[in-house]
């Protein structure tokens, strides 16, 4: 509750169902220094058009869930059955690999749904395929702690978190932890003289804690209530989620790509942090949402 978001965090309201759609499949739109293509991110030719030979430093995305949500059916996209998800994903990861810098990072935010009393395994299959079939480095899995809306299920607790899987084409990646440190009075000093420095958070009762700059852990807490575009897309995430990864794994001026741009949160995150964004969105209606959101920004 409270006042609606203003300024740079003001979102784009959901388009009325009868609103005319002005974006068109196959078109590329310039949004300031950023570019949006209304097309399929699994298509190599579309990647070549959008990227123009440039390399991405960060690719961050939350792809469609398997057979769970209905997206814009007018776009031609059809939900992917769980047992076909890895095969459906294969051309996408190949395009990312082709257009990602040698020290770049690829982040995938996806959590499988539960059905018939158990969690689907296709996300685990997808992670394993990156490392075993497609030779990606599986750098890490991080947690987005998001505090979901209250709910009740007969045999499990509500989802309060989602994973963010980190892949890279090589062992050496661009890593900028100082971009995401925070002030803390519970740091452990790593300086030889015990002076003020950065380090990890430790328990308040631990011996030797000092004030300083602390690196975050691999659990990122961002409430879904922060997202001003919750009604603009069926699976929108707050801009602060991609913003964390963009800041930690790229430099100002670097190129950030989202293959499933949705309502445009990754584009806004890139703009706010001085990066340049490229995005794919197969739905002309959601391309309209992204363009309206950029205009408000």
């Amino acid at each position: 509750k409270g006042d609606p978001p203003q300024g740079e965090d003001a979102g784009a309201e959901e388009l009325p169902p009868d609103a005319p759609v002005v974006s068109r499949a196959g078109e590329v739109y310039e949004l300031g220094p950023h570019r949006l293509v209304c097309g399929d991110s699994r298509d190599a030719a579309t990647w070549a058009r959008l990227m123009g030979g440039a390399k991405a430093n960060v690719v961050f995305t939350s792809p469609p869930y398997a057979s769970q949500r209905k997206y814009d059916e007018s776009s031609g996209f059809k939900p992917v059955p769980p047992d076909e998800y890895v095969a459906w994903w294969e051309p996408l990861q190949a395009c990312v690999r082709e257009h990602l810098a040698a020290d770049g990072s690829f982040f995938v935010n996806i959590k499988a749904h539960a059905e018939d009393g158990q969690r689907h395994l296709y996300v685990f299959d997808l992670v394993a395929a990156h490392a075993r079939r497609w030779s990606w480095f599986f750098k890490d899995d991080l947690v987005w702690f998001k505090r979901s809306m209250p709910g009740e299920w007969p045999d499990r607790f509500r989802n309060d978190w989602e994973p963010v899987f980190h892949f890279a084409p090589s062992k050496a990646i661009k890593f900028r932890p100082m971009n995401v440190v925070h002030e803390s009075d519970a740091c452990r000093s790593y300086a030889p003289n015990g002076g003020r420095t950065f380090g990890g958070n430790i328990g308040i009762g631990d011996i030797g804690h000092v004030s300083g700059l602390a690196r975050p852990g691999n659990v990122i807490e961002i409430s879904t209530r922060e997202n001003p575009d919750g009604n603009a897309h069926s699976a929108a995430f707050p801009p602060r989620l991609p913003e964390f990864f963009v800041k930690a794994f790229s430099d100002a001026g670097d190129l950030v790509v989202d293959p499933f741009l949705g309502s445009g949160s990754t584009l806004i995150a890139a703009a706010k942090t001085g990066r340049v964004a490229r995005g794919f969105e197969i739905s002309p209606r959601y391309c309209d949402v992204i363009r309206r959101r950029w205009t408000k920004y």
Side-chain angles (χ1 to χ4, degrees), residues 192-208:
N193 61 359
R196 178 180 171 88
T197 185
F198 67 90
N201 282 338
I202 62 174
I204 295 296
D206 291 349
I207 298 174

Side-chain angles (χ1 to χ4, degrees), residues 203-216:
I204 295 296
D206 291 349
I207 298 174
H209 66 270
V210 297
S211 296
L213 298 175
R215 291 188 183 187

Side-chain angles (χ1 to χ4, degrees), residues 77-246:
F77 176 81
K78 296 180 180 179
V80 184
D83 59 355
E84 298 175 15
Y85 202 91
V86 172
W88 175 82
W89 183 267
E90 185 165 10
L92 181 279
Q93 66 80 32
C95 290
V96 172
R97 189 67 168 267
E98 176 69 22
H99 296 276
L100 187 63
D103 61 351
S105 289
F106 179 24
F107 297 98
V108 181
N109 162 227
I110 185 170
K111 185 178 181 72
H113 61 285
E115 188 175 9
D116 294 329
Q118 64 178 340
R119 185 77 61 178
H120 269 288
L121 298 178
Y122 74 91
V123 169
F124 297 98
D125 294 335
L126 185 67
V127 172
H130 278 85
R132 293 174 176 167
R133 186 185 303 184
W134 304 319
S135 300
W136 286 87
F137 276 76
F138 180 26
K139 301 293 292 186
D140 202 0
D141 50 348
L142 301 96
V143 171
W144 170 25
F145 178 37
K146 62 180 186 175
R147 294 188 185 277
S148 298
M149 295 295 291
E152 186 174 322
W153 290 263
D155 58 355
R156 65 181 177 89
F157 297 106
R158 70 174 185 265
N159 287 331
D160 258 353
W161 68 279
E162 292 185 10
V164 179
F165 300 105
H166 181 188
F167 306 104
S170 66
K171 181 179 179 180
I173 60 170
K174 183 178 288 189
F175 183 40
R176 303 292 187 257
M178 290 301 293
N179 289 346
V180 290
V181 296
H182 58 274
E183 291 281 350
S184 174
D185 60 0
C187 293
R188 184 182 297 280
S189 174
Y190 296 106
N193 61 359
R196 178 180 171 88
T197 185
F198 67 90
N201 282 338
I202 62 174
I204 295 296
D206 291 349
I207 298 174
H209 66 270
V210 297
S211 296
L213 298 175
R215 291 188 183 187
N218 63 358
V219 177
I220 301 99
E221 183 173 359
I222 302 173
S223 172
T224 54
R225 298 175 185 176
E226 295 183 24
N227 188 15
D229 295 307
N231 294 326
H233 193 277
S234 61
F237 51 66
R240 274 218 305 133
L241 180 64
E243 184 177 332
F244 175 88
F245 293 94
V246 166

